[in-house]
Amino acid sequence: HKELAEAEELIKDCSEYIQHLFEKTDLFNGGKLLLARVQDEEVLEDVKKLIELRCRGKKKKVRRGRRLYNRFF
């Protein structure tokens, strides 16, 4: 899974808390479900990076009439 490999690389630059959480979380349907307690700015930034990674691969083009829109799934 390409997305999981990218997440593993991204995690190396994250806080110790997020790294530990990622390490101890089991795989589920080919990915990991992280439930993070956001208590400071550093963890918040880590979570934003992980959400961005997750959303990057989920864009889908949707046509409405003659216009084409990006839609997240």
Side-chain angles (χ1 to χ4, degrees), residues 3-4 7-8 19-35 54:
E3 195 174 281
L4 184 58
E8 288 170 346
Q19 288 180 24
H20 176 73
L21 188 62
F22 188 84
E23 213 174 86
K24 75 173 192 169
T25 302
D26 294 328
L27 283 174
F28 177 74
N29 287 336
K32 293 190 176 201
L33 176 63
L34 300 181
L35 300 176
R54 181 72 175 119

Side-chain angles (χ1 to χ4, degrees), residues 12-68:
K12 293 175 184 177
D13 295 328
C14 290
S15 63
E16 286 184 30
Y17 169 69
I18 293 294
Q19 288 180 24
H20 176 73
L21 188 62
F22 188 84
E23 213 174 86
K24 75 173 192 169
T25 302
D26 294 328
L27 283 174
F28 177 74
N29 287 336
K32 293 190 176 201
L33 176 63
L34 300 181
L35 300 176
R37 192 175 296 255
V38 180
Q39 295 181 331
D40 59 42
E41 199 70 31
E42 182 181 24
V43 173
L44 177 60
E45 292 305 313
D46 292 344
V47 169
K48 286 179 182 180
K49 290 177 202 172
L50 291 167
I51 291 171
E52 183 181 321
L53 173 66
R54 181 72 175 119
C55 290
R56 212 180 312 150
K58 298 294 175 185
K59 284 185 185 178
K60 189 173 188 177
K61 298 281 185 186
V62 176
R63 184 174 294 281
R64 290 192 186 136
R66 293 182 177 203
R67 296 183 183 209
L68 207 56

